[in-house]
Amino acid sequence: MTSVRDGTELGAAVALLAAARSVTVLCHVQPDADTVGSGLALALALDRRGVPVCVSFAEPAELPASLRTLPGGQHLVAPGQVPHEVDLLVVVDCGARSRLGALADRLSGAATTLVIDHHRANDGFGTVDLIDETAASTTELVTRLLDAWGVPIDAAIAHCLFAGLVTDTGSFRWARPGSHALAERLLATGIDGSEITRSLLDTHPFTWLPMLSKVLSSAVVVPGAAGVGLVYALVRAADTHEVGPEEVESVIDVIRTTAEAGIAVVFKEARGQNDRWTVSLRSRDSAPGVSDGVDVAAIASRFGGGGHRFAAGYTTYGSAESVVRALVDELS
């Protein structure tokens, strides 16, 4: 794993940005606040230095509603508008090429690639890899990068950076050393942290409630799984037609509150592809018999996925019964 602590990669990343004549920033599919916040913060900084820049993600077709208030949205473009050739391609918060979806083909057209990420499973696929798994969010790494580049962090950039920090730390429930100090610095620019947090984490349309009711009725507890217990639920495609992807993603945060389980899992059926499932896994930082929690990234990697120690995911195919059984058997 590449470390940024000695400043070598940080300096190389600054040099790439400073020399770039055109920049494309790519976020991962099903974007969250950390990837979009990182991308837009960089875009704002580059635009102020007169560098042509665009930000994009492969899917879904529209940015989740909760992220539309992030400053810098004017730099977002549809996947079809992303240049096939660019001086510098920056990939943010993306642990593997596959997480770029259909936009992974833009890697071959970039003169230089910079990868900025905090996922442990990222082995690096850029010309320069700015990767630090100890960072609480990718926006934390972007902050370090902007500081090293001498870019002032004003309220607009701070808003983007705070969005990634607050979501990836679960409103600071999983804060790392330095997370609160960074938050204090960003809040000092005048941003409204409570409003940003509310819009990102505590706001859903009414249609979320009946969807959640159906999903929670499918929940099952497997007491002995992995020695800590497993709780899982299924989100059927038919239940998601009136909600957005962020409402679907939020289900895991409800499931994970189950006291009898150290691991929580949500199986999400893809619309129009009834045999394709995206699977979200979460674990606690401690559980009976496991003082430092279960490493769900290691579990996800067995199914071709990855992520963080306490939050990971993968994609799988089959019937609902078969995909659930495969995971339960793996944890038995």
Side-chain angles (χ1 to χ4, degrees):
M1 177 64 65
T2 302
S3 171
V4 300
R5 292 191 178 279
D6 62 4
T8 304
E9 290 76 19
L10 195 59
V14 169
L16 289 182
L17 291 171
R21 294 164 296 178
S22 60
V23 178
T24 293
V25 184
L26 295 184
C27 305
H28 61 67
V29 295
Q30 306 302 328
D32 58 14
D34 196 24
T35 192
V36 175
S38 296
L40 294 181
L42 284 171
L44 288 168
L46 287 160
D47 180 66
R48 290 170 190 174
R49 299 208 168 199
V51 180
V53 58
C54 68
V55 182
S56 192
F57 52 88
E59 56 182 88
E62 295 183 351
L63 191 68
S66 66
L67 302 181
R68 293 173 194 166
T69 58
L70 294 184
Q74 67 272 21
H75 298 295
L76 284 166
V77 302
Q81 296 178 285
V82 176
H84 284 270
E85 295 184 357
V86 69
D87 191 31
L88 174 63
L89 179 70
V90 184
V91 179
V92 288
D93 196 45
C94 195
R97 293 176 179 86
S98 60
R99 291 284 286 154
L100 291 172
L103 287 174
D105 65 356
R106 299 307 198 272
L107 289 167
S108 61
T112 311
T113 302
L114 169 62
V115 174
I116 308 173
D117 188 32
H118 71 134
H119 290 92
R120 182 178 57 183
N122 194 328
D123 292 325
F125 51 93
T127 310
V128 172
D129 298 310
L130 190 60
I131 303 170
D132 187 354
E133 66 174 274
T134 70
S137 66
T138 296
T139 58
E140 178 185 324
L141 290 177
V142 172
T143 303
R144 297 187 210 170
L145 180 57
L146 295 179
D147 285 345
W149 195 16
V151 175
I153 295 179
D154 61 9
I157 292 177
H159 185 145
C160 295
L161 298 174
F162 185 82
L165 179 64
V166 75
T167 53
D168 263 34
T169 59
S171 289
F172 301 98
R173 284 176 290 177
W174 314 299
R176 304 281 184 88
S179 296
H180 289 93
L182 175 56
E184 182 178 6
R185 175 187 173 189
L186 298 175
L187 291 169
T189 65
I191 61 174
D192 188 340
S194 60
E195 177 59 25
I196 293 170
T197 302
R198 186 198 63 78
S199 64
L200 290 171
L201 299 173
D202 295 328
T203 302
H204 297 287
F206 177 78
T207 51
W208 179 68
L209 295 177
M211 182 275 289
L212 189 62
S213 175
K214 291 180 181 179
V215 170
L216 294 182
S217 69
S218 75
V220 174
V221 172
V222 184
V228 298
L230 163 71
V231 60
Y232 69 84
L234 288 87
V235 180
R236 301 282 187 171
D239 298 332
T240 65
H241 291 304
E242 296 185 5
V243 297
E246 57 193 325
E247 274 66 58
V248 175
E249 292 301 317
S250 72
V251 172
I252 189 68
D253 292 319
V254 179
I255 296 297
R256 69 182 302 163
T257 62
T258 303
E260 295 84 354
I263 301 173
V265 178
V266 174
F267 297 87
K268 296 160 287 185
E269 185 180 39
R271 295 179 185 176
Q273 303 178 55
N274 292 346
D275 64 340
R276 180 175 182 264
W277 301 79
T278 55
V279 185
S280 296
L281 303 94
R282 300 289 186 271
S283 72
R284 299 178 187 168
D285 56 7
S286 64
V290 186
S291 60
D292 56 353
V294 176
D295 186 350
V296 290
I299 297 171
S301 69
R302 299 171 204 163
F303 294 89
H308 305 292
R309 181 177 184 84
F310 304 121
Y314 62 92
T315 299
T316 189
Y317 297 84
S319 65
E321 294 76 13
S322 67
V323 298
V324 169
R325 176 49 53 191
L327 181 60
V328 172
D329 287 347
E330 183 66 30
L331 298 179
S332 297

